[in-house]
Structure formats: structure tokens, C-alpha cells
Amino acid sequence: MAQIHEIKAESRKDEGKGASRRLRRASYVPAVVYGAGQPAQSIQIEHNTILLAAKHEWFFSSVLDLNVDGKVQKVLVRDWQKHPFKQQMMHMDFLRIDENHAIRVNVPLHFLNQEKSAAAKTSGVVISHNLTEVEVSCLPKDLPEHIELDLADLKPGDIVHLSQLKLPKGVEIVALHLGADHDTTVVTANTVKEEVEEAPAAEGGAAEAAPAAAAPAKDAKK
């Protein structure tokens, strides 16, 4: 079972752009909680709380315990807005979830033991991570914080597809329900061949060949 992550927040009544600006000046992030058949709720969260949480990948891919005024709601981060150049979160949206219904979430991939593989130890082989996350479907209680892919046995020329990922119990990859054409490549170990350029012809070579070819014609007139 995934670790529990709690985010503390407070309800707010003031809404609008002016109210949001005042909250940001006071080091708060304006946010909204919606979904699960309940009315949308405006909340505010201390900016440092969000800033620290956002440094972890679980913040964007895990079920969170959002504690609003002491009442806990199960939510997912659904949208966020960051300042164009400042280290500042401007706004957040949280989606309430029903623990008895499956959810769809993008979960990060963790690549293990790549440096120990034959592919990594072979000169001229380039290992490419074509995907860094994958969309899964599962009940909230089964949602993994990440999915591990062990590359210890990766050899030159190998290709790893979505269908080869080892998933926790109760977790499914959404794309694989769409057919074999959606069994996307996750990792490739391609051998790169170096192209050898032909050496340019020596200067004067063509000029020396021309007189040699013309010599027989000159002798024929004699």
C-alpha cells in the first residue's frame, strides 16, 4: 500500500483575482477542490507546504489526504499553475476521489540496474528511455507511487514494451486496453554504427590522368 501523504489547508470565502493576489502576497496558494458529486470548495494552502511537497514526484501521482480545517478528503492533484520564472505556485486544483471507483493516473517509471546490464557495458550502444511515466487504472488503495523496471538483463538490440512491465496487483495499463498497436516501446538498446567518410582524392590526380588518356591519340597521328 502506498504511503499516506497529508496536505493541510484552510477553507476560504474570498474569491476572485484580487483575493488571489492578496493570498499570494501573504504566502498562500489559492486552490479549489471539486468532484465526487460535491460542490466545489475554495481553499488556501501555505506556499511553503506546496513548495516542499512539489519537490517530490508523489505529490503529482499519489492519492493525497487533503486536510481542510480538520476534515480529510482523498484527492488527486489535477491542475496547477506556476509563475513563469519565479519559484512560486500560483494556483492548484484538487479532484476528490471515490475510494470504491477506479482512477486513472500517470505514474512515474523508475529504471533500475541499467548500469549493470550488458547493453550499458557494450561500446556503441545507446539506451533510450522512450517513456518516463505511464497511465494506469486501479482503485485508489492500489495506486503505486511509481513502477520499477529492472534493466539488469538488457542486451544490445533489446526492446522493452509496455506489456513487459511488472505491475502491482490490481493495477492495469490503460493503453494496453486499446489494442496491440498501443503496446508502446518503453526502452530501447540500439547499436550506433559510425559512418566512415571516404578520403578525398589527392589534388592533381585528375589532371595527371587526363594527359595519360590523351597520349595514345597523339601517338596515333604519327
Side-chain angles (χ1 to χ4, degrees):
M1 184 175 177
Q3 183 179 348
I4 295 175
H5 302 288
E6 183 177 272
I7 303 295
K8 292 187 177 181
E10 304 170 9
S11 59
R12 63 184 174 96
K13 296 181 180 180
D14 291 341
E15 298 183 12
K17 293 183 178 180
S20 294
R21 284 195 293 269
R22 288 192 294 273
L23 281 175
R24 294 186 192 107
R25 286 197 294 268
S27 297
Y28 280 87
V29 180
V32 174
V33 191
Y34 64 93
Q38 301 178 40
Q41 180 183 14
S42 297
I43 62 173
Q44 60 189 41
I45 309 173
E46 288 187 1
H47 188 266
N48 282 345
T49 298
I50 292 295
L51 194 63
L52 291 174
K55 294 181 182 295
H56 302 278
E57 62 184 9
W58 55 255
F59 182 66
F60 301 100
S61 60
S62 299
V63 175
L64 307 175
D65 280 359
L66 184 65
N67 186 331
V68 182
D69 299 334
K71 182 180 179 181
V72 176
Q73 308 173 61
K74 297 288 186 180
V75 301
L76 290 169
V77 174
R78 266 298 175 251
D79 194 17
W80 62 93
Q81 299 172 12
K82 296 181 68 177
H83 193 279
F85 55 88
K86 293 181 181 178
Q87 195 175 14
Q88 181 182 12
M89 196 72 76
M90 304 292 288
H91 187 274
M92 301 208 67
D93 287 345
F94 296 93
L95 174 67
R96 298 188 191 95
I97 61 169
D98 185 336
E99 296 186 77
N100 298 313
H101 288 80
I103 55 177
R104 292 170 57 163
V105 182
N106 286 334
V107 174
L109 295 174
H110 285 189
F111 302 96
L112 307 180
N113 300 316
Q114 176 174 302
E115 67 285 352
K116 299 179 181 178
S117 68
K121 295 177 181 178
T122 302
S123 178
V125 173
V126 176
I127 300 175
S128 301
H129 298 167
N130 299 71
L131 297 177
T132 56
E133 62 180 18
V134 61
E135 186 180 25
V136 302
S137 174
C138 62
L139 289 175
K141 68 179 182 64
D142 297 325
L143 181 64
E145 291 189 2
H146 60 266
I147 294 174
E148 295 181 347
L149 176 56
D150 193 341
L151 299 177
D153 296 328
L154 190 70
K155 300 181 296 296
D158 280 355
I159 300 175
V160 181
H161 293 88
L162 280 176
S163 57
Q164 295 172 263
L165 295 177
K166 294 182 179 179
L167 304 174
K169 184 179 178 180
V171 179
E172 298 178 341
I173 294 177
V174 175
L176 295 180
H177 289 285
L178 303 176
D181 292 344
H182 294 269
D183 192 6
T184 310
T185 299
V186 179
V187 174
T188 57
N190 295 322
T191 301
V192 178
K193 296 182 179 179
E194 294 184 4
E195 295 184 1
V196 180
E197 296 183 1
E198 294 184 4
E203 290 185 8
E208 291 174 2
K218 192 173 182 181
D219 292 341
K221 291 181 181 179
K222 289 182 179 180

